[in-house]
Amino acid sequence: MLALSLALCATAAQADEGMWMPSQLPEIARQLRAAGFKGDPADLAELTRAPMNAVVKVGGATGAFVSGEGLVLTNHHVAFGVIQYNSKPERDLIGNGFVAADRAAELPANPDFRVLVTTGFDKVTERILADARGKRGRAYYEAVDAATKAVVAECEREAGYRCSVANMYYGTDFYLIRQLELRDIRLVYAPPDSIGNYGDEVDNFVWPRHSGDFTLLRAYVGKDGKPADYSPDNVPYSPPGHLQIATDPVREGDYAMLAGYPGVTFRHRMAAEFAQQIEWQLPSRVALYGSMIKTVERAAASDAEAKVRYAAQVAGFKNTLKRAQGELDGLRRSDAVRVRRDDEAAMLAWLDKQPDANTIRADIDAAQKVLDAAASTRERDQLLTAIRTQAQLLNAALTLQRLALEHAKPDGERETGYQQRDETLIAGRLKQVQRRYAPEVEKALLLDLLSQYKALPKASRVPEFDRVFAGEDAAGLKRSLDALYAGTRLGDEAVRLQAMTADAKALAASDDSLLRAAATLTPAILALEEQTKSRDGELLRLRPAYMRALIGFRKSQGRAVYPDANSTLRVSYGAVSTMDPRDGVRYRPLTTVQGIVEKHTGVKPFDAPQALRDAIAKGDYGSTIDPELKTQTVDFLTNLDTTGGNSGSPVLDANGRLIGLNFDSNWEAVSASWMFDPRYKRAIHVDMRYMRWLLAKVYPAPHLLGEMRLPAE
Amino acid sequence: MLALSLALCATAAQADEGMWMPSQLPEIARQLRAAGFKGDPADLAELTRAPMNAVVKVGGATGAFVSGEGLVLTNHHVAFGVIQYNSKPERDLIGNGFVAADRAAELPANPDFRVLVTTGFDKVTERILADARGKRGRAYYEAVDAATKAVVAECEREAGYRCSVANMYYGTDFYLIRQLELRDIRLVYAPPDSIGNYGDEVDNFVWPRHSGDFTLLRAYVGKDGKPADYSPDNVPYSPPGHLQIATDPVREGDYAMLAGYPGVTFRHRMAAEFAQQIEWQLPSRVALYGSMIKTVERAAASDAEAKVRYAAQVAGFKNTLKRAQGELDGLRRSDAVRVRRDDEAAMLAWLDKQPDANTIRADIDAAQKVLDAAASTRERDQLLTAIRTQAQLLNAALTLQRLALEHAKPDGERETGYQQRDETLIAGRLKQVQRRYAPEVEKALLLDLLSQYKALPKASRVPEFDRVFAGEDAAGLKRSLDALYAGTRLGDEAVRLQAMTADAKALAASDDSLLRAAATLTPAILALEEQTKSRDGELLRLRPAYMRALIGFRKSQGRAVYPDANSTLRVSYGAVSTMDPRDGVRYRPLTTVQGIVEKHTGVKPFDAPQALRDAIAKGDYGSTIDPELKTQTVDFLTNLDTTGGNSGSPVLDANGRLIGLNFDSNWEAVSASWMFDPRYKRAIHVDMRYMRWLLAKVYPAPHLLGEMRLPAE
């Protein structure tokens, strides 16, 4: 009789929401210690001390120094551009991976690739807000903007540094961030993409996962130790600190913490904004994109070429719809409207008993009014945005008109995106129209969107749009669209590119119907933009009252408040943990190489390389074997708080040693940008033991293991 | 900060393969006790003693008495015919469920529905084999058959009993089974099918599962206590014993055992048969059915009516293909060829050292030769079977010819399926052809199958088939098929039905091309049938040698051998257990009502009734709440050994109390009919606490809870 012994004993794990500024960690020292952290939380607060001084920004995401000689660990997908840049038909680094035999063999990254080492993080709230005080709306916004630019310019006077001002707690605090900008970055070690990106889109957002999504780079500097462009004479950068990769196993329930640069969250938005997001924004986005998908697919159904031209746009629509639906499902599952509303009501009740309640409450009420005003035109604004941006040829005409208007200003005063340096990009986009446009499909899409727009109350409509797109019913709109597209030559690439140099008046006087339409529409669009900027300015002025109330309220509950994510360095802590995605199913926190074999089909994205499969069949795992599972682990799951931008974040154990590399989260966590639900929020990491095994046994790089002070086998 | 505490502590569980005859249980008493059984294994051996006397055969599957007044618990899907029989447009028992308010309200089942109570199980090997000894092949088979019929006839002399002879260990032992045949069965309680069959085909073979797949019936007898047809004067049957439903919770790792009537397994087949199944039978079935699907779909592609006519047949092909592929995947995953081959080699090595090795080995070798002979024509036999059975009109012609031949014999001597009592069924099938046939599709299907047949070596071909289906290439075959179908009027229903009364000669002399073809083919088909029966007889004679060797070998290993399943009462034991379906995923052993809500879409098969959803929202679970999960459980998972026929099997705890009702197994276990792999074999049961809750709180039946001596809430 065959017998099987099943045994699992899990320890309790604590999941704590929070993307903390390192400087806040001493404030939550008790919680950190209770969760299992063994170090001194005060050490984590200092960006220039270990381990935080090892955490760097790498190409829009995160990475970490892992040796004293500038070795940087980040995700394969973060370094993908570097790998691609060095791939050639005869040297397929994407498909085959890369191991630099020595320093000389390390390959220079694309010249715009950067590693940023944070060296300063200082509160500059007073300087940023000094001029803004007393101002309102657009003027407030511009005062903050001007002060920010001045502070940044002053900071960047020292060569080799990039500076920025981070807005914390929605305008409450401002911090000047100073980063050393390393410009000579080289590729050291990359697994084949069939390891680094095993599962690709099919496994994206999925657990269980089996990717070896890591790459090793090295930062170089000039002989003077200062940042420099690539030169063969450059030397490896000596970082102020680096992380030591752990050699202990990772187990369910283990303490884990993660440092990185999460992009954006909305957790401290007002209850009304939660309600709008869940009750209007996401459902209406799902409906709008669903309608656009149907319209484009129907219009292109009998035209194979049109189908190809719109394939990318439709794929984009579908992706937007899927994400919106996922976010909506998640927020509903978490009952986010009610939870946030109850919490805000409790906060306001608390506030009413505080001495400065009246002034704070006045600002909160004013912010609420700004939001209400924006909400009153939200259907219209969403439709006008779709009309302006989703119709390729109309968008080209609007771009040309705007470019002509901006051309009339000095380059520095032009709107972002229309400056001298942006013109190549604009020309590229105007050229691309050729491959992404079919007149019948564009007219069908506009007819769909305009029909929805014309169904809105007259009061919310925009006269210029009504004038250009005449007709109140489908037949009338169709006639006006037919006339508009019959009278334009913008479908011709040369005509579009030529118009890039025309001035606004010439375009308005053109005999091209679409260029004339754009000239009519643009002033209305600019007016709407002004309105938005003015509202944004008011919210920048008013939201700090809400945040102060929230911070005070939380303090009364004995809790700290982290600022919403804004691409600055944050730390979250929690544990290696299971997840129950649905009734009767539990995700186990560690995957193993057996899962690679299970998923392997030989066809992308499940085409594990022969060398890997041979090594798994051989089963020689040496020092990286998991003592309980008796095999090689691949990825692991934690309840750490992450969002986009946390790619490449180092995951540390209770002693600050590197156990994992963050690279994804689970689908159920899409809604975490608004609300952290501990039942469903998980983060997915490469187990450093998998990387060590690959370096030891599969695509050997003993010299790198030595450099990182790791066992050779 | 929201906080979540995750804790799971599972105990080790032992999974033991085996569908034991109750009489074997004392033999494995030590294992039963080690697994946690608290009763006396000797008690389980007696079919006329509790608990085995409570286990009954219900409509082809299993059930159990659960009260002293004839209440029978079985699956909703087992009793579905009874529910359907009593449903009317104005009384939709399928959709609404049914609760009999009192005895008078209980509804009589369809008259052919039976509950069988086993009252005797006696070894009759000597009587069955006495005449067969010394015979071979077909004669051996017929001697066994004649002795079986005599024993059964003698046993059935007493009115009210049905008898049968069960062949254990492939002809090694024969048992006479005597069963009381209860004929007045009534419907007492059925949940709506949206509970009883929640998830339907989508969830079939799936875990996690959320079905309340149970129904309560009641057996009635005449006032004299003897089986009787339905009469309002009948009284509830007093069973010799009944099971007590448990009130204790079910927990992971708990001991569990199950009694029921598993249909058929092949676990003790010879290693060569395992190899043939995995290396030829399943892959060639997948290929053959894949080819037929493609051919029929292509031939019917441009003909909407033909598509409809072949929809059911194609669905059947797809189902066959899916199961074959599932079985193949499972057997490969379990490395079944190697495992069985190694085991057999060890057995033969052991055998060679035994005193009677030579005679036993001679029989085993002879059995191997019979298998080899059958294998030499397996491609041909599989194709000829498909040709005879899958082409609707050709099959009708062959049926008519065979019926005419059998008509010439006395009814008692006719082949099973062609007796007087079968003629209504045959007429029904002949009528159905009308709705399932299109000449172009049938010709395409035959062309596909015949092309494969003609590609076989000439030696293995059958002259009659070659004559009827002339032509060696596709063009030739097409011509002969066109002629065959142009010259038949069997497409006309009246012609088919009329031919049912014709004699064989008349059919052979008919001017209908297909009837003449059938007359040519039938003698060849009969000859092949004779060959098969002769081989079956030889295997019946020879397999006992193999089984005796296996039993002896296992004994030398300290292990007992259960006979392969053959629809007789068997017991399996094991535990409530998790399963790891793939790397990183663990199935939890208990599902809860929250899963019903998660799956609910409002659309069949996930349309949980309002009353159920209201009760879940209310959360009043009374005495049936799970003390750990703090909610109502629905189904649970064990590692018990089951196969088709185990539907409705009672699942008992360590004290013999009823904790669950078996109703399905998992997809990964399809291959368990050949090999039990403890990693993947699981059985799925309704938690009796879910049934109790439904009876207590959702569709109340307090009188039934009282009758079963269960708490009212």
Side-chain angles (χ1 to χ4, degrees):
Chain A
M1 283 150 279
L2 297 160
L4 174 78
S5 177
L6 294 168
L8 174 85
C9 205
T11 55
Q14 177 90 10
D16 268 330
E17 153 176 17
M19 298 174 169
W20 304 96
M21 294 188 288
S23 56
Q24 293 184 284
L25 297 175
E27 202 183 328
I28 58 162
R30 198 182 47 75
Q31 291 96 310
L32 279 172
R33 289 215 191 84
F37 180 59
K38 297 202 179 110
D40 181 352
D43 286 345
L44 300 174
E46 286 298 323
L47 297 196
T48 51
R49 245 192 274 163
M52 289 305 150
N53 60 4
V55 183
V56 292
K57 212 161 182 171
V58 179
T62 308
F65 287 116
V66 288
S67 89
E69 295 165 275
L71 208 53
V72 174
L73 174 66
T74 189
N75 290 137
H76 185 270
H77 77 265
V78 170
F80 188 75
V82 179
I83 301 166
Q84 192 172 39
Y85 177 79
N86 282 289
S87 280
K88 291 170 190 150
E90 72 280 8
R91 187 176 71 177
D92 177 13
L93 303 191
I94 298 173
N96 301 329
F98 176 69
V99 185
D102 53 27
R103 296 279 155 88
E106 296 175 355
L107 299 168
N110 33 315
D112 58 339
F113 196 82
R114 294 285 181 275
V115 165
L116 301 178
V117 187
T118 301
T119 60
F121 183 78
D122 300 297
K123 202 186 266 195
V124 291
T125 311
E126 277 315 304
R127 275 195 66 186
I128 297 296
L129 293 185
D131 268 4
R133 295 224 168 82
K135 297 196 171 75
R136 290 176 167 249
R138 183 76 204 249
Y140 187 91
Y141 183 92
E142 280 174 356
V144 168
D145 195 47
T148 298
K149 282 177 175 157
V151 168
V152 166
E154 185 188 306
C155 174
E156 288 188 347
R157 256 177 233 150
E158 185 175 356
Y161 285 87
R162 188 184 289 182
C163 302
S164 57
V165 169
N167 163 355
M168 300 288 180
Y169 303 111
Y170 295 113
T172 308
D173 276 327
F174 293 86
Y175 287 80
L176 173 63
I177 297 167
R178 190 161 170 267
Q179 294 172 308
L180 188 71
E181 188 177 24
L182 300 172
R183 310 196 297 270
D184 180 1
I185 310 301
R186 304 192 195 168
L187 180 62
V188 178
Y189 186 102
D193 69 337
S194 50
I195 289 178
N197 191 23
Y198 192 63
D200 196 18
E201 280 304 316
V202 182
D203 268 6
N204 195 12
F205 276 123
V206 164
W207 185 260
R209 191 64 156 279
H210 297 87
S211 301
D213 190 356
F214 74 91
T215 288
L216 288 162
L217 306 170
R218 191 186 304 280
Y220 282 77
V221 287
K223 283 186 168 158
D224 58 358
K226 297 203 167 148
D229 288 331
Y230 170 77
S231 156
D233 297 334
N234 285 348
V235 296
Y237 171 65
S238 296
H242 68 271
L243 301 176
Q244 175 60 44
I245 293 174
T247 50
D248 293 337
V250 173
R251 286 197 185 86
E252 182 179 338
D254 280 357
Y255 174 86
M257 63 192 297
L258 166 152
Y261 293 89
V264 56
T265 58
F266 310 92
R267 306 235 182 103
H268 303 318
R269 290 292 177 103
M270 293 166 69
E273 294 177 283
F274 270 70
Q276 155 148 310
Q277 182 74 1
I278 298 159
E279 289 163 1
W280 177 77
Q281 181 60 71
L282 294 171
S284 79
R285 187 177 296 156
V286 166
L288 177 68
Y289 280 77
S291 172
M292 291 200 291
I293 290 164
K294 223 165 104 182
T295 299
V296 170
E297 285 185 341
R298 194 183 297 151
S302 55
D303 180 347
E305 208 187 310
K307 235 186 262 182
V308 173
R309 289 186 176 195
Y310 280 86
Q313 199 172 357
V314 167
F317 289 167
K318 287 182 177 171
N319 195 39
T320 300
L321 188 152
K322 188 185 160 193
R323 282 197 69 115
Q325 188 65 57
E327 191 178 320
L328 183 59
D329 292 345
L331 289 171
R332 283 180 176 157
R333 195 165 50 215
S334 301
D335 203 4
V337 172
R338 192 190 54 72
V339 170
R340 190 72 196 82
R341 189 171 46 212
D342 291 355
D343 182 46
E344 184 177 275
M347 176 191 89
L348 293 175
W350 169 87
L351 177 64
D352 285 345
K353 289 181 225 129
Q354 306 311 312
D356 51 354
N358 286 349
T359 52
I360 293 183
R361 189 64 193 249
D363 274 7
I364 293 176
D365 292 346
Q368 186 60 60
K369 282 207 182 70
V370 175
L371 293 177
D372 291 345
S376 70
T377 57
R378 63 193 182 186
E379 283 89 1
R380 181 199 70 191
D381 295 338
Q382 176 167 269
L383 282 169
L384 292 186
T385 301
I387 289 166
R388 286 164 47 197
T389 57
Q390 299 302 341
Q392 301 286 339
L393 210 60
L394 174 61
N395 182 257
L398 290 168
T399 301
L400 288 165
Q401 176 66 27
R402 183 67 174 266
L403 183 64
L405 287 173
E406 299 292 337
H407 264 166
K409 306 178 193 168
D411 194 58
E413 287 172 27
R414 292 182 200 167
E415 183 74 14
T416 308
Y418 292 93
Q419 290 174 295
Q420 194 62 44
R421 62 177 193 183
D422 302 313
E423 292 199 4
T424 317
L425 202 68
I426 294 175
R429 286 213 315 271
L430 290 173
K431 277 183 197 163
Q432 255 201 358
V433 169
Q434 217 60 24
R435 292 188 289 116
R436 306 187 58 175
Y437 162 76
E440 291 312 313
V441 180
E442 176 149 332
K443 283 192 285 180
L445 181 62
L446 282 173
L447 180 61
D448 172 11
L449 295 170
L450 288 164
S451 299
Q452 295 180 56
Y453 165 77
K454 295 275 180 163
L456 297 175
K458 282 251 162 90
S460 73
R461 286 171 29 192
V462 179
E464 290 84 349
F465 277 81
D466 284 354
R467 202 151 67 234
V468 166
F469 305 106
E472 284 298 302
D473 58 5
L477 277 170
K478 205 175 167 313
R479 272 195 302 277
S480 100
L481 286 169
D482 283 342
L484 203 56
Y485 281 81
T488 183
R489 287 183 306 125
L490 284 185
D492 182 341
E493 181 180 311
V495 175
R496 287 196 302 276
L497 293 178
Q498 205 181 352
M500 277 186 75
T501 52
D503 67 22
K505 247 186 219 161
L507 291 179
S510 152
D511 61 355
D512 190 285
S513 53
L514 214 49
L515 284 175
R516 279 206 318 275
T520 307
L521 296 173
T522 297
I525 292 169
L526 291 174
L528 291 171
E529 249 179 32
E530 277 302 301
Q531 211 174 37
T532 304
K533 282 181 179 164
S534 156
R535 279 181 189 146
D536 288 349
E538 271 300 89
L539 288 174
L540 190 64
R541 181 175 76 84
L542 298 167
R543 277 190 200 274
Y546 188 89
M547 285 311 304
R548 267 191 281 271
L550 187 67
I551 292 167
F553 176 56
R554 288 280 183 268
K555 200 169 175 188
S556 79
Q557 300 174 310
R559 293 161 59 187
V561 177
Y562 58 90
D564 257 315
N566 59 355
S567 293
T568 59
L569 184 63
R570 303 298 180 89
V571 171
S572 74
Y573 70 94
V576 177
S577 69
T578 61
M579 181 179 125
D580 294 350
R582 55 187 209 280
D583 189 48
V585 178
R586 173 158 293 178
Y587 289 155
R588 306 184 71 182
L590 288 152
T591 59
T592 73
V593 290
Q594 274 63 49
I596 295 173
V597 178
E598 281 173 15
K599 287 181 177 174
H600 178 77
T601 59
V603 179
K604 265 191 184 301
F606 296 110
D607 53 339
Q610 189 67 46
L612 176 62
R613 285 180 292 132
D614 288 348
I616 295 170
K618 201 171 159 203
D620 173 15
Y621 304 120
S623 68
T624 61
I625 195 167
D626 185 278
E628 280 169 24
L629 301 171
K630 314 280 183 218
T631 183
Q632 180 61 53
T633 57
V634 178
D635 294 333
F636 68 94
L637 198 65
T638 66
N639 57 17
L640 294 171
D641 195 358
T642 59
T643 194
N646 271 123
S647 281
S649 291
V651 183
L652 310 179
D653 67 11
N655 298 305
R657 280 169 312 200
L658 184 61
I659 52 172
L661 182 65
N662 183 61
F663 71 98
D664 200 8
S665 63
N666 54 315
W667 175 244
E668 296 84 354
V670 189
S671 54
S673 52
W674 284 80
M675 179 164 278
F676 182 92
D677 186 330
R679 293 172 299 169
Y680 299 112
K681 175 66 189 80
R682 294 293 181 278
I684 300 174
H685 320 296
V686 182
D687 192 321
M688 285 295 94
R689 291 175 293 171
Y690 183 48
M691 181 182 91
R692 286 171 49 207
W693 179 64
L694 291 172
L695 266 72
K697 307 274 186 178
V698 190
Y699 301 95
H703 55 300
L704 296 175
L705 288 170
E707 181 180 339
M708 295 185 280
R709 291 188 233 155
L710 289 168
E713 318 227 298
Chain B
M1 285 151 277
L2 296 162
L4 174 79
S5 177
L6 295 169
L8 174 86
C9 206
T11 55
Q14 178 89 9
D16 267 330
E17 156 177 17
M19 297 174 172
W20 304 96
M21 294 189 288
S23 56
Q24 292 184 285
L25 296 175
E27 202 184 328
I28 58 162
R30 197 183 47 75
Q31 291 94 312
L32 278 172
R33 289 214 191 83
F37 181 57
K38 297 203 177 107
D40 181 353
D43 288 344
L44 301 174
E46 287 297 323
L47 296 195
T48 53
R49 245 194 270 161
M52 287 306 151
N53 60 5
V55 182
V56 291
K57 212 161 179 172
V58 180
T62 308
F65 288 117
V66 289
S67 88
E69 297 166 274
L71 208 54
V72 174
L73 174 66
T74 188
N75 291 139
H76 185 270
H77 78 266
V78 170
F80 188 75
V82 179
I83 302 166
Q84 191 171 39
Y85 177 79
N86 282 289
S87 281
K88 292 172 190 148
E90 71 280 8
R91 189 177 67 179
D92 177 11
L93 304 190
I94 298 172
N96 301 327
F98 175 67
V99 186
D102 53 28
R103 298 276 156 90
E106 295 174 359
L107 300 168
N110 34 315
D112 58 339
F113 196 82
R114 294 286 180 274
V115 166
L116 302 178
V117 187
T118 301
T119 61
F121 183 78
D122 300 295
K123 203 186 265 194
V124 290
T125 311
E126 278 314 304
R127 279 194 63 186
I128 297 296
L129 293 185
D131 269 3
R133 295 223 167 83
K135 298 197 170 75
R136 291 178 167 248
R138 183 75 203 247
Y140 188 92
Y141 183 92
E142 279 172 358
V144 168
D145 195 45
T148 298
K149 281 176 174 157
V151 167
V152 166
E154 185 189 304
C155 173
E156 288 189 345
R157 259 178 232 151
E158 186 176 354
Y161 285 88
R162 187 184 289 182
C163 302
S164 57
V165 170
N167 163 354
M168 300 286 180
Y169 303 111
Y170 295 113
T172 308
D173 276 327
F174 293 86
Y175 287 80
L176 173 62
I177 298 167
R178 192 163 168 266
Q179 295 173 308
L180 188 71
E181 188 179 24
L182 300 172
R183 310 198 295 272
D184 180 1
I185 311 301
R186 302 190 194 169
L187 181 62
V188 177
Y189 186 104
D193 70 336
S194 50
I195 288 177
N197 191 23
Y198 192 64
D200 195 21
E201 281 304 315
V202 182
D203 268 5
N204 196 13
F205 276 121
V206 163
W207 187 260
R209 190 65 156 280
H210 297 88
S211 300
D213 190 356
F214 74 93
T215 288
L216 287 162
L217 306 170
R218 192 186 303 281
Y220 282 77
V221 287
K223 281 187 169 158
D224 58 357
K226 296 201 167 148
D229 290 330
Y230 169 77
S231 157
D233 297 334
N234 284 348
V235 296
Y237 171 67
S238 294
H242 68 271
L243 300 176
Q244 176 58 45
I245 292 173
T247 51
D248 293 338
V250 173
R251 287 197 185 85
E252 182 178 340
D254 280 358
Y255 175 86
M257 63 192 298
L258 166 153
Y261 293 89
V264 58
T265 57
F266 311 91
R267 305 236 182 102
H268 305 316
R269 291 291 178 101
M270 294 166 68
E273 294 177 281
F274 270 70
Q276 155 147 310
Q277 181 74 3
I278 298 159
E279 288 163 1
W280 178 77
Q281 181 59 71
L282 294 171
S284 79
R285 187 177 296 156
V286 166
L288 178 66
Y289 280 78
S291 172
M292 292 199 290
I293 291 164
K294 221 166 104 180
T295 300
V296 171
E297 285 185 341
R298 194 185 297 152
S302 56
D303 179 345
E305 209 185 310
K307 234 184 260 179
V308 172
R309 289 186 178 195
Y310 281 85
Q313 199 173 356
V314 168
F317 288 167
K318 288 184 177 171
N319 196 39
T320 300
L321 188 150
K322 187 186 161 193
R323 283 198 70 112
Q325 188 64 57
E327 190 176 321
L328 184 59
D329 292 345
L331 290 170
R332 283 179 175 158
R333 193 165 49 215
S334 302
D335 203 4
V337 173
R338 190 190 54 72
V339 170
R340 191 75 196 82
R341 188 172 47 214
D342 290 354
D343 182 46
E344 185 179 273
M347 176 191 86
L348 293 175
W350 169 87
L351 176 63
D352 285 345
K353 290 180 227 133
Q354 307 310 311
D356 50 353
N358 286 349
T359 54
I360 292 183
R361 191 62 195 248
D363 274 7
I364 293 176
D365 291 347
Q368 186 61 60
K369 283 209 181 68
V370 176
L371 293 175
D372 290 347
S376 71
T377 59
R378 61 193 184 187
E379 284 88 359
R380 179 200 70 189
D381 295 338
Q382 175 167 269
L383 282 168
L384 292 186
T385 301
I387 289 165
R388 287 164 46 198
T389 57
Q390 299 302 341
Q392 300 287 339
L393 212 60
L394 175 60
N395 182 257
L398 290 168
T399 301
L400 288 165
Q401 175 67 25
R402 181 68 174 265
L403 184 64
L405 288 173
E406 300 292 337
H407 265 166
K409 305 179 195 168
D411 195 59
E413 287 171 27
R414 294 181 197 164
E415 183 74 14
T416 307
Y418 293 92
Q419 290 174 293
Q420 194 62 45
R421 64 177 191 180
D422 302 313
E423 292 199 2
T424 316
L425 202 68
I426 293 176
R429 286 215 314 271
L430 290 173
K431 278 184 197 164
Q432 256 201 358
V433 169
Q434 218 58 27
R435 291 187 288 118
R436 306 188 58 176
Y437 163 75
E440 291 312 315
V441 179
E442 176 149 331
K443 284 193 283 182
L445 181 61
L446 282 173
L447 181 61
D448 172 11
L449 296 170
L450 287 163
S451 300
Q452 294 180 56
Y453 165 77
K454 295 277 181 165
L456 298 175
K458 279 252 164 91
S460 73
R461 283 167 36 186
V462 180
E464 290 85 348
F465 277 83
D466 284 354
R467 203 148 68 234
V468 167
F469 305 106
E472 284 297 303
D473 58 5
L477 276 169
K478 205 175 166 315
R479 270 194 305 277
S480 101
L481 286 168
D482 284 342
L484 204 55
Y485 282 80
T488 182
R489 287 184 306 127
L490 283 185
D492 181 341
E493 180 180 309
V495 174
R496 286 196 303 277
L497 292 178
Q498 207 181 351
M500 278 187 73
T501 53
D503 67 22
K505 249 185 219 163
L507 291 179
S510 153
D511 61 354
D512 190 287
S513 53
L514 215 49
L515 284 174
R516 281 206 317 275
T520 307
L521 296 174
T522 298
I525 292 168
L526 291 174
L528 292 171
E529 250 178 32
E530 277 304 300
Q531 210 175 36
T532 304
K533 282 179 182 166
S534 159
R535 277 180 190 147
D536 288 349
E538 271 300 89
L539 288 173
L540 189 64
R541 182 176 74 86
L542 298 167
R543 278 191 199 274
Y546 188 88
M547 284 311 305
R548 267 191 280 270
L550 187 66
I551 291 167
F553 175 56
R554 288 280 182 268
K555 200 171 173 184
S556 79
Q557 299 175 310
R559 293 162 59 187
V561 177
Y562 57 91
D564 256 317
N566 57 355
S567 294
T568 59
L569 186 63
R570 302 297 181 88
V571 171
S572 74
Y573 70 93
V576 178
S577 68
T578 60
M579 180 180 128
D580 295 349
R582 54 188 209 281
D583 188 49
V585 178
R586 173 157 291 178
Y587 289 155
R588 308 184 71 182
L590 288 151
T591 60
T592 74
V593 291
Q594 275 63 49
I596 295 173
V597 178
E598 281 173 14
K599 287 180 177 175
H600 178 77
T601 60
V603 179
K604 265 189 183 303
F606 296 109
D607 53 339
Q610 188 67 48
L612 177 62
R613 284 181 290 132
D614 288 348
I616 295 169
K618 201 172 157 202
D620 172 16
Y621 304 120
S623 68
T624 60
I625 195 166
D626 186 278
E628 279 170 24
L629 302 171
K630 312 284 183 215
T631 182
Q632 180 60 54
T633 56
V634 178
D635 295 333
F636 68 94
L637 198 65
T638 66
N639 57 18
L640 293 171
D641 195 357
T642 59
T643 193
N646 270 123
S647 280
S649 291
V651 182
L652 310 179
D653 67 11
N655 298 303
R657 281 169 311 200
L658 184 62
I659 51 172
L661 182 65
N662 184 60
F663 72 99
D664 201 8
S665 62
N666 52 317
W667 176 246
E668 296 83 355
V670 188
S671 55
S673 51
W674 284 79
M675 179 164 276
F676 182 93
D677 187 330
R679 292 173 299 169
Y680 298 113
K681 175 65 189 80
R682 294 294 180 276
I684 299 174
H685 321 296
V686 182
D687 192 322
M688 284 295 95
R689 291 175 293 172
Y690 183 48
M691 181 181 90
R692 286 171 50 207
W693 179 64
L694 290 173
L695 266 71
K697 308 273 186 179
V698 190
Y699 300 96
H703 55 300
L704 296 175
L705 289 169
E707 183 181 338
M708 294 185 282
R709 290 189 234 153
L710 289 167
E713 334 220 285

